[in-house]
Coordinates of all heavy atoms in Angstrom, one line a residue:
M1 N -14.9 -40.0 15.6 CA -14.9 -39.1 16.8 C -13.9 -38.0 16.6 O -12.8 -38.1 16.2 CB -14.6 -39.9 18.0 CG -15.0 -39.3 19.3 SD -15.0 -40.6 20.6 CE -14.8 -39.7 22.0
I2 N -14.4 -36.7 17.0 CA -13.5 -35.5 16.7 C -12.2 -35.6 17.5 O -11.2 -35.1 17.1 CB -14.3 -34.3 17.1 CG1 -13.7 -33.1 16.5 CG2 -14.6 -34.0 18.5 CD1 -13.7 -33.0 15.0
I3 N -12.2 -36.1 18.8 CA -11.0 -36.2 19.6 C -10.0 -37.1 18.8 O -8.7 -36.7 18.9 CB -11.3 -36.8 21.0 CG1 -11.9 -35.7 21.8 CG2 -10.1 -37.4 21.6 CD1 -11.1 -34.6 22.1
E4 N -10.3 -38.1 18.2 CA -9.4 -38.9 17.5 C -8.8 -38.1 16.3 O -7.6 -38.2 16.0 CB -10.0 -40.2 17.0 CG -10.4 -41.2 18.1 CD -9.2 -41.5 19.0 OE1 -8.1 -41.7 18.5 OE2 -9.4 -41.5 20.2
S5 N -9.6 -37.3 15.6 CA -9.1 -36.4 14.5 C -8.1 -35.5 15.1 O -7.1 -35.2 14.4 CB -10.3 -35.6 13.9 OG -11.1 -36.5 13.3
I6 N -8.3 -34.9 16.3 CA -7.4 -33.9 16.9 C -6.1 -34.7 17.2 O -5.0 -34.1 16.9 CB -8.0 -33.2 18.1 CG1 -9.2 -32.3 17.6 CG2 -6.9 -32.4 18.9 CD1 -10.0 -31.8 18.7
R7 N -6.2 -35.8 17.8 CA -5.0 -36.6 18.1 C -4.2 -36.9 16.9 O -2.9 -36.8 16.8 CB -5.4 -37.9 18.9 CG -5.8 -37.6 20.3 CD -6.0 -38.9 21.0 NE -6.3 -38.6 22.4 CZ -7.4 -39.0 23.0 NH1 -8.2 -39.8 22.5 NH2 -7.5 -38.7 24.4
E8 N -4.8 -37.3 15.8 CA -4.1 -37.6 14.5 C -3.5 -36.3 14.0 O -2.3 -36.4 13.5 CB -5.1 -38.2 13.5 CG -5.6 -39.6 13.7 CD -6.7 -40.1 12.8 OE1 -6.8 -39.5 11.7 OE2 -7.3 -41.1 13.1
L9 N -4.1 -35.2 14.0 CA -3.5 -34.0 13.5 C -2.3 -33.6 14.4 O -1.3 -33.1 13.8 CB -4.6 -32.8 13.5 CG -5.6 -32.9 12.5 CD1 -6.8 -31.9 12.9 CD2 -5.1 -32.6 11.2
N10 N -2.3 -33.9 15.7 CA -1.2 -33.6 16.5 C 0.0 -34.5 16.2 O 1.2 -34.0 16.5 CB -1.6 -33.7 18.1 CG -2.3 -32.5 18.5 OD1 -2.2 -31.4 17.9 ND2 -3.1 -32.7 19.6
H11 N -0.2 -35.7 15.8 CA 0.8 -36.6 15.6 C 1.3 -36.8 14.1 O 2.1 -37.6 13.8 CB 0.5 -38.1 16.1 CG 0.3 -38.0 17.6 ND1 -0.9 -38.0 18.2 CD2 1.3 -38.0 18.6 CE1 -0.7 -38.1 19.5 NE2 0.6 -38.1 19.8
A12 N 0.7 -35.9 13.3 CA 1.0 -36.0 11.9 C 2.5 -35.6 11.6 O 3.0 -34.7 12.3 CB 0.1 -35.0 11.1
V13 N 3.1 -36.3 10.7 CA 4.5 -35.9 10.2 C 4.5 -35.7 8.8 O 4.1 -36.6 8.0 CB 5.4 -37.1 10.7 CG1 6.8 -36.8 10.2 CG2 5.4 -37.4 12.2
P14 N 4.8 -34.5 8.3 CA 5.2 -33.3 9.1 C 3.9 -32.8 9.7 O 2.8 -32.8 9.1 CB 5.8 -32.4 8.1 CG 5.1 -32.8 6.8 CD 4.9 -34.2 6.9
F15 N 4.0 -32.0 10.8 CA 2.9 -31.4 11.4 C 2.5 -30.2 10.6 O 3.2 -29.5 10.1 CB 3.2 -30.9 12.8 CG 2.1 -30.1 13.5 CD1 1.2 -30.8 14.2 CD2 2.1 -28.7 13.4 CE1 0.1 -30.1 14.8 CE2 1.1 -28.0 14.1 CZ 0.1 -28.8 14.7
Q16 N 1.2 -30.1 10.5 CA 0.6 -28.9 9.8 C -0.4 -28.2 10.7 O -1.2 -28.8 11.4 CB -0.3 -29.3 8.5 CG 0.6 -30.0 7.5 CD -0.2 -30.3 6.2 OE1 -1.4 -30.6 6.4 NE2 0.4 -30.3 5.1
P17 N -0.2 -26.9 10.8 CA -1.1 -26.1 11.7 C -2.6 -26.4 11.4 O -3.0 -26.6 10.2 CB -0.7 -24.6 11.4 CG 0.6 -24.7 10.9 CD 0.7 -26.0 10.1
Y18 N -3.4 -26.4 12.3 CA -4.8 -26.6 12.1 C -5.7 -25.8 13.1 O -5.1 -25.1 13.9 CB -5.2 -28.1 12.3 CG -5.0 -28.7 13.7 CD1 -6.1 -28.7 14.6 CD2 -3.8 -29.1 14.2 CE1 -6.0 -29.2 15.9 CE2 -3.7 -29.6 15.4 CZ -4.8 -29.7 16.3 OH -4.6 -30.2 17.6
E19 N -6.9 -25.7 12.9 CA -7.8 -25.0 13.8 C -9.0 -25.9 14.2 O -9.4 -26.7 13.5 CB -8.3 -23.7 13.2 CG -9.3 -23.8 12.0 CD -9.6 -22.4 11.5 OE1 -8.9 -21.4 11.7 OE2 -10.7 -22.3 10.8
I20 N -9.4 -25.6 15.4 CA -10.6 -26.3 15.9 C -11.7 -25.3 15.9 O -11.7 -24.1 16.4 CB -10.3 -26.6 17.4 CG1 -9.2 -27.6 17.5 CG2 -11.5 -27.2 18.1 CD1 -8.7 -28.0 18.9
R21 N -12.8 -25.8 15.2 CA -14.0 -24.9 15.0 C -15.1 -25.4 16.0 O -15.4 -26.6 16.0 CB -14.4 -25.0 13.6 CG -13.4 -24.4 12.6 CD -13.8 -24.5 11.2 NE -12.7 -24.1 10.4 CZ -12.6 -24.2 9.1 NH1 -13.7 -24.8 8.5 NH2 -11.7 -23.7 8.4
M22 N -15.6 -24.4 16.7 CA -16.7 -24.7 17.7 C -18.1 -24.5 17.1 O -18.3 -23.8 16.1 CB -16.5 -23.8 18.9 CG -15.1 -23.8 19.5 SD -14.7 -25.4 20.1 CE -15.8 -25.6 21.6
A23 N -19.1 -25.1 17.7 CA -20.4 -25.0 17.2 C -20.9 -23.5 17.3 O -21.7 -23.1 16.5 CB -21.4 -25.8 18.1
S24 N -20.3 -22.7 18.1 CA -20.7 -21.3 18.3 C -20.1 -20.4 17.1 O -20.4 -19.3 17.1 CB -20.2 -20.7 19.6 OG -18.8 -20.7 19.7
G25 N -19.1 -21.0 16.3 CA -18.5 -20.2 15.3 C -17.1 -19.8 15.7 O -16.3 -19.3 14.9
E26 N -16.7 -20.0 17.0 CA -15.3 -19.7 17.4 C -14.4 -20.6 16.8 O -14.6 -21.7 16.5 CB -15.2 -19.9 19.0 CG -15.8 -18.9 19.8 CD -15.6 -19.2 21.2 OE1 -14.5 -19.1 21.7 OE2 -16.6 -19.6 21.9
R27 N -13.2 -20.0 16.5 CA -12.1 -20.8 15.9 C -10.8 -20.7 16.7 O -10.5 -19.6 17.1 CB -11.8 -20.3 14.5 CG -12.9 -20.6 13.6 CD -12.7 -20.0 12.2 NE -13.9 -20.2 11.4 CZ -13.8 -20.3 10.1 NH1 -12.7 -20.3 9.5 NH2 -14.9 -20.5 9.4
H28 N -10.2 -21.8 17.0 CA -9.0 -21.8 17.8 C -7.8 -22.4 17.0 O -7.9 -23.5 16.6 CB -9.2 -22.5 19.1 CG -10.3 -22.0 20.0 ND1 -10.1 -21.0 20.8 CD2 -11.6 -22.3 20.0 CE1 -11.2 -20.7 21.4 NE2 -12.1 -21.4 20.9
R29 N -6.8 -21.5 16.7 CA -5.7 -22.0 15.9 C -4.7 -22.8 16.8 O -4.4 -22.4 17.8 CB -5.0 -20.7 15.4 CG -4.0 -21.1 14.3 CD -3.4 -19.7 13.7 NE -2.5 -20.1 12.7 CZ -1.2 -20.3 12.9 NH1 -0.7 -20.1 14.0 NH2 -0.4 -20.5 11.9
V30 N -4.2 -23.8 16.2 CA -3.2 -24.7 16.8 C -2.0 -24.7 15.9 O -1.9 -25.5 14.9 CB -3.7 -26.1 17.0 CG1 -2.7 -27.0 17.7 CG2 -5.0 -26.2 17.8
P31 N -1.0 -23.8 16.2 CA 0.2 -23.7 15.3 C 1.2 -24.8 15.5 O 2.1 -25.0 14.7 CB 0.8 -22.3 15.7 CG 0.4 -22.2 17.1 CD -1.0 -22.8 17.3
H32 N 1.2 -25.5 16.7 CA 2.2 -26.5 17.0 C 1.5 -27.4 18.1 O 0.7 -27.0 18.8 CB 3.4 -25.9 17.6 CG 4.6 -26.8 17.7 ND1 4.7 -27.5 19.0 CD2 5.6 -27.1 17.0 CE1 5.8 -28.2 18.8 NE2 6.4 -28.0 17.7
P33 N 1.9 -28.7 18.1 CA 1.2 -29.6 19.1 C 1.4 -29.2 20.5 O 0.6 -29.6 21.4 CB 2.0 -30.9 18.9 CG 2.5 -30.9 17.5 CD 2.8 -29.4 17.2
D34 N 2.5 -28.3 20.8 CA 2.7 -27.9 22.2 C 1.5 -27.0 22.6 O 1.5 -26.6 23.9 CB 4.0 -27.3 22.3 CG 5.2 -28.2 22.2 OD1 4.9 -29.5 22.3 OD2 6.3 -27.8 22.0
F35 N 0.8 -26.4 21.8 CA -0.3 -25.5 22.1 C -1.6 -26.1 22.5 O -2.6 -25.4 22.7 CB -0.5 -24.5 21.0 CG 0.6 -23.5 20.8 CD1 1.9 -23.9 20.3 CD2 0.4 -22.2 21.2 CE1 2.9 -22.9 20.2 CE2 1.4 -21.2 21.0 CZ 2.7 -21.6 20.5
V36 N -1.7 -27.4 22.5 CA -3.0 -28.1 22.7 C -2.7 -29.2 23.7 O -1.7 -29.9 23.7 CB -3.6 -28.6 21.5 CG1 -2.8 -29.7 20.8 CG2 -5.0 -29.0 21.7
L37 N -3.8 -29.4 24.6 CA -3.8 -30.6 25.5 C -5.1 -31.2 25.5 O -6.1 -30.5 25.5 CB -3.5 -30.0 27.0 CG -3.6 -31.1 28.1 CD1 -2.4 -31.2 28.9 CD2 -4.9 -30.9 28.9
I38 N -5.1 -32.5 25.4 CA -6.4 -33.3 25.4 C -6.5 -34.0 26.7 O -5.5 -34.7 27.2 CB -6.4 -34.3 24.3 CG1 -6.3 -33.5 22.9 CG2 -7.7 -35.1 24.2 CD1 -6.0 -34.4 21.7
S39 N -7.6 -33.8 27.4 CA -7.7 -34.6 28.7 C -7.6 -36.0 28.5 O -8.0 -36.6 27.4 CB -9.1 -34.1 29.3 OG -10.2 -34.7 28.6
P40 N -7.3 -36.8 29.5 CA -7.1 -38.2 29.4 C -8.3 -39.0 28.9 O -8.3 -39.9 28.1 CB -6.7 -38.7 30.8 CG -6.1 -37.5 31.4 CD -6.8 -36.3 30.8
R41 N -9.5 -38.6 29.3 CA -10.8 -39.2 28.9 C -11.3 -38.6 27.6 O -12.3 -39.0 27.0 CB -11.8 -39.1 30.0 CG -11.5 -40.0 31.1 CD -12.6 -40.0 32.1 NE -12.3 -40.7 33.3 CZ -13.0 -40.8 34.4 NH1 -14.1 -40.1 34.4 NH2 -12.6 -41.5 35.4
G42 N -10.7 -37.5 27.1 CA -11.2 -36.8 25.9 C -12.4 -36.0 26.0 O -13.1 -35.8 25.1
T43 N -12.7 -35.5 27.3 CA -13.9 -34.8 27.5 C -13.7 -33.3 27.2 O -14.7 -32.6 27.1 CB -14.4 -35.0 28.9 OG1 -13.4 -34.6 29.9 CG2 -14.9 -36.3 29.1
Y44 N -12.5 -32.8 27.3 CA -12.2 -31.4 26.9 C -10.8 -31.3 26.3 O -10.0 -32.1 26.4 CB -12.3 -30.5 28.2 CG -11.3 -30.8 29.3 CD1 -10.1 -30.1 29.3 CD2 -11.6 -31.7 30.3 CE1 -9.2 -30.4 30.3 CE2 -10.7 -32.0 31.3 CZ -9.5 -31.3 31.4 OH -8.6 -31.5 32.3
V45 N -10.6 -30.1 25.7 CA -9.4 -29.8 25.0 C -9.0 -28.4 25.6 O -9.9 -27.5 25.7 CB -9.5 -29.8 23.5 CG1 -8.3 -29.3 22.8 CG2 -10.0 -31.1 23.0
I46 N -7.7 -28.1 25.8 CA -7.2 -26.9 26.2 C -6.3 -26.4 25.1 O -5.4 -27.1 24.7 CB -6.5 -26.8 27.5 CG1 -7.4 -27.3 28.7 CG2 -5.9 -25.5 27.8 CD1 -6.7 -27.5 30.0
V47 N -6.6 -25.3 24.5 CA -5.8 -24.6 23.5 C -5.2 -23.3 24.0 O -5.9 -22.5 24.6 CB -6.6 -24.3 22.2 CG1 -5.8 -23.6 21.2 CG2 -7.2 -25.6 21.7
V48 N -3.9 -23.2 23.9 CA -3.2 -21.9 24.4 C -3.0 -21.0 23.2 O -2.5 -21.5 22.2 CB -1.9 -22.3 25.0 CG1 -1.2 -21.0 25.5 CG2 -2.1 -23.2 26.2
D49 N -3.5 -19.8 23.3 CA -3.3 -18.9 22.2 C -1.9 -18.2 22.2 O -1.1 -18.5 23.0 CB -4.5 -17.9 22.1 CG -4.5 -16.9 23.3 OD1 -3.5 -16.7 24.0 OD2 -5.5 -16.3 23.5
A50 N -1.7 -17.2 21.3 CA -0.4 -16.6 21.1 C 0.0 -15.8 22.3 O 1.1 -15.5 22.6 CB -0.4 -15.7 19.9
R51 N -1.0 -15.3 23.1 CA -0.8 -14.5 24.3 C -0.7 -15.5 25.6 O -0.7 -15.0 26.7 CB -1.9 -13.6 24.5 CG -1.9 -12.5 23.5 CD -3.1 -11.5 23.8 NE -3.0 -10.3 23.0 CZ -3.9 -9.4 22.9 NH1 -5.0 -9.6 23.6 NH2 -3.7 -8.4 22.1
E52 N -0.6 -16.7 25.3 CA -0.5 -17.7 26.4 C -1.8 -17.8 27.3 O -1.7 -18.2 28.5 CB 0.8 -17.6 27.2 CG 2.0 -17.9 26.3 CD 3.3 -18.1 27.1 OE1 3.1 -18.4 28.4 OE2 4.3 -18.1 26.5
R53 N -2.9 -17.5 26.7 CA -4.2 -17.6 27.5 C -4.8 -19.0 27.1 O -4.9 -19.3 25.9 CB -5.2 -16.6 27.0 CG -4.8 -15.1 27.4 CD -5.7 -14.1 27.0 NE -5.8 -14.2 25.5 CZ -6.4 -13.4 24.8 NH1 -7.1 -12.3 25.3 NH2 -6.5 -13.5 23.5
P54 N -5.2 -19.8 28.1 CA -5.8 -21.1 27.9 C -7.3 -20.9 27.5 O -8.0 -20.1 28.1 CB -5.6 -21.8 29.2 CG -5.6 -20.7 30.2 CD -5.0 -19.5 29.6
H55 N -7.7 -21.7 26.6 CA -9.1 -21.8 26.2 C -9.6 -23.2 26.5 O -9.1 -24.2 25.8 CB -9.3 -21.4 24.8 CG -8.9 -20.0 24.5 ND1 -9.7 -18.9 24.7 CD2 -7.7 -19.5 24.1 CE1 -9.1 -17.8 24.4 NE2 -7.8 -18.1 24.0
H56 N -10.5 -23.4 27.4 CA -11.0 -24.7 27.7 C -12.2 -25.1 26.8 O -13.2 -24.3 26.9 CB -11.4 -24.8 29.2 CG -10.3 -24.5 30.1 ND1 -9.7 -25.5 30.8 CD2 -9.6 -23.4 30.4 CE1 -8.6 -24.9 31.5 NE2 -8.6 -23.7 31.3
L57 N -12.1 -26.1 26.0 CA -13.1 -26.4 25.1 C -13.8 -27.8 25.3 O -13.1 -28.7 25.5 CB -12.6 -26.5 23.7 CG -11.6 -25.3 23.2 CD1 -11.1 -25.6 21.9 CD2 -12.3 -24.0 23.3
S58 N -15.1 -27.8 25.5 CA -15.8 -29.1 25.7 C -15.9 -29.7 24.3 O -16.2 -29.2 23.3 CB -17.2 -28.7 26.2 OG -18.0 -29.9 26.1
T59 N -15.5 -31.0 24.4 CA -15.5 -31.8 23.1 C -16.9 -32.0 22.6 O -17.1 -32.2 21.4 CB -14.9 -33.1 23.3 OG1 -15.5 -33.9 24.4 CG2 -13.4 -33.0 23.5
L60 N -17.9 -31.8 23.5 CA -19.3 -31.9 23.0 C -19.6 -30.7 22.0 O -20.6 -30.8 21.3 CB -20.3 -31.9 24.1 CG -20.2 -33.0 25.1 CD1 -21.1 -32.8 26.3 CD2 -20.6 -34.3 24.3
L61 N -18.9 -29.6 22.2 CA -19.2 -28.4 21.4 C -18.2 -28.2 20.2 O -18.4 -27.2 19.5 CB -19.2 -27.2 22.3 CG -20.2 -27.2 23.5 CD1 -20.0 -26.0 24.4 CD2 -21.6 -27.2 22.9
I62 N -17.2 -29.1 20.0 CA -16.3 -28.9 19.0 C -17.0 -29.5 17.7 O -17.5 -30.6 17.7 CB -15.0 -29.7 19.2 CG1 -14.3 -29.1 20.4 CG2 -14.1 -29.7 18.0 CD1 -13.0 -29.8 20.8
E63 N -17.0 -28.7 16.6 CA -17.7 -29.1 15.4 C -16.7 -29.8 14.4 O -17.1 -30.8 13.9 CB -18.2 -27.8 14.7 CG -19.3 -28.1 13.7 CD -20.0 -26.8 13.3 OE1 -19.4 -26.1 12.4 OE2 -21.0 -26.4 13.9
E64 N -15.5 -29.3 14.4 CA -14.5 -29.9 13.5 C -13.1 -29.5 13.7 O -13.0 -28.4 14.4 CB -14.8 -29.7 12.0 CG -14.8 -28.3 11.5 CD -15.1 -28.2 10.0 OE1 -15.1 -29.2 9.3 OE2 -15.4 -27.0 9.7
A65 N -12.2 -30.2 13.3 CA -10.7 -29.8 13.3 C -10.2 -30.0 12.0 O -10.4 -31.0 11.3 CB -10.0 -30.7 14.3
V66 N -9.7 -28.8 11.4 CA -9.3 -28.8 10.0 C -7.9 -28.2 9.9 O -7.5 -27.3 10.5 CB -10.3 -28.1 9.1 CG1 -11.6 -28.8 9.0 CG2 -10.5 -26.7 9.5
V67 N -7.2 -28.8 8.9 CA -5.8 -28.2 8.6 C -6.0 -26.8 7.9 O -6.8 -26.7 7.1 CB -5.0 -29.2 7.6 CG1 -3.7 -28.6 7.2 CG2 -4.8 -30.5 8.3
R68 N -5.2 -25.9 8.4 CA -5.1 -24.6 7.9 C -4.3 -24.6 6.6 O -3.2 -25.2 6.7 CB -4.7 -23.6 8.9 CG -5.6 -23.4 10.0 CD -5.0 -22.4 11.1 NE -4.6 -21.2 10.5 CZ -5.3 -20.1 10.4 NH1 -6.5 -20.0 10.9 NH2 -4.9 -19.0 9.8
N69 N -4.7 -23.9 5.5 CA -3.9 -23.9 4.3 C -3.2 -22.6 4.1 O -2.7 -22.3 3.1 CB -4.7 -24.3 3.1 CG -5.9 -23.3 2.9 OD1 -6.0 -22.3 3.6 ND2 -6.7 -23.6 2.0
G70 N -3.2 -21.7 5.2 CA -2.6 -20.4 5.1 C -3.4 -19.3 4.5 O -3.1 -18.2 4.6
H71 N -4.6 -19.7 4.1 CA -5.5 -18.7 3.6 C -6.8 -18.7 4.5 O -7.2 -19.8 4.9 CB -6.0 -19.0 2.2 CG -4.9 -19.2 1.2 ND1 -4.1 -18.1 0.7 CD2 -4.3 -20.2 0.6 CE1 -3.2 -18.5 0.0 NE2 -3.3 -19.8 -0.2
S72 N -7.3 -17.5 4.7 CA -8.6 -17.5 5.5 C -9.7 -17.9 4.5 O -9.8 -17.4 3.4 CB -8.8 -16.1 6.1 OG -8.9 -15.2 5.1
R73 N -10.6 -18.7 5.0 CA -11.7 -19.2 4.1 C -12.9 -18.4 4.5 O -13.2 -18.1 5.6 CB -11.9 -20.7 4.3 CG -10.8 -21.5 3.8 CD -11.0 -22.9 3.8 NE -12.2 -23.4 4.5 CZ -12.6 -24.6 4.4 NH1 -12.0 -25.5 3.7 NH2 -13.8 -25.0 5.0
R74 N -13.7 -18.1 3.5 CA -14.9 -17.3 3.7 C -16.1 -18.3 3.9 O -16.1 -19.4 3.3 CB -15.3 -16.4 2.6 CG -14.3 -15.3 2.3 CD -14.7 -14.6 1.1 NE -15.1 -13.3 1.4 CZ -15.6 -12.4 0.6 NH1 -15.7 -12.7 -0.7 NH2 -15.9 -11.3 1.0
K75 N -17.0 -18.0 4.7 CA -18.2 -18.8 4.8 C -19.1 -18.5 3.7 O -19.4 -17.3 3.4 CB -18.9 -18.6 6.1 CG -18.3 -19.2 7.3 CD -19.2 -19.0 8.5 CE -18.6 -19.6 9.7 NZ -19.4 -19.5 10.9
T76 N -19.6 -19.5 2.9 CA -20.5 -19.2 1.8 C -21.6 -20.2 1.9 O -21.5 -21.3 2.4 CB -19.7 -19.4 0.5 OG1 -19.3 -20.7 0.4 CG2 -18.7 -18.4 0.2
G77 N -22.7 -19.7 1.4 CA -23.9 -20.6 1.4 C -24.7 -20.7 2.7 O -25.8 -21.2 2.7
R78 N -24.2 -20.1 3.7 CA -24.9 -20.1 5.0 C -25.5 -18.8 5.2 O -24.8 -17.7 5.1 CB -23.9 -20.4 6.2 CG -23.6 -21.8 6.3 CD -22.8 -22.0 7.6 NE -22.6 -23.4 7.8 CZ -22.0 -23.9 8.8 NH1 -21.6 -23.1 9.8 NH2 -21.8 -25.2 9.0
K79 N -26.8 -18.8 5.6 CA -27.4 -17.5 5.9 C -27.8 -17.6 7.3 O -28.4 -18.6 7.9 CB -28.7 -17.3 5.0 CG -28.3 -17.1 3.6 CD -29.5 -16.8 2.7 CE -29.1 -16.5 1.2 NZ -30.2 -16.2 0.4
T80 N -27.7 -16.5 8.0 CA -28.1 -16.4 9.4 C -29.4 -15.6 9.5 O -29.6 -14.7 8.8 CB -27.1 -15.8 10.3 OG1 -26.8 -14.5 9.9 CG2 -25.9 -16.7 10.4
A81 N -30.3 -16.0 10.4 CA -31.5 -15.3 10.5 C -31.4 -14.1 11.3 O -30.5 -13.8 12.0 CB -32.6 -16.2 11.2

């Protein structure tokens, strides 16, 4: 379950910045555990960006949570119609 992955990333020692990727293609960077809140039931996630704006994310629409390696990755092999 993706919520468990996000919880594991938040509690990792040492912490590594990660991003949450949405089904729509949006990406939300999590530079520190203080920038993310997971609802008690795990139905939504709130990510605060660098401008302190909250982004409410439905866990049904989260595609993956991946550790950022400091490099931006290009999408390859996917073609859009």
Side-chain angles (χ1 to χ4, degrees):
M1 196 163 159
I2 195 70
I3 281 298
E4 291 307 316
S5 296
I6 293 172
R7 286 186 174 125
E8 287 176 17
L9 289 168
N10 281 338
H11 292 103
V13 176
F15 177 82
Q16 293 182 333
Y18 66 95
E19 71 181 14
I20 297 173
R21 297 179 183 170
M22 305 299 291
S24 65
E26 288 180 65
R27 296 174 182 210
H28 300 276
R29 187 172 186 273
V30 180
H32 188 274
D34 290 345
F35 285 74
V36 67
L37 174 127
I38 300 170
S39 69
R41 292 187 185 171
T43 55
Y44 64 90
V45 174
I46 298 173
V47 177
V48 179
D49 65 17
R51 293 181 170 171
E52 295 197 15
R53 293 178 299 189
H55 298 273
H56 299 256
L57 314 175
S58 169
T59 55
L60 296 173
L61 301 175
I62 296 175
E63 202 168 80
E64 64 181 343
V66 294
V67 174
R68 295 178 48 99
N69 60 5
H71 304 286
S72 58
R73 292 184 356 171
R74 297 174 112 184
K75 285 187 179 180
T76 57
R78 283 189 173 179
K79 293 185 179 180
T80 56

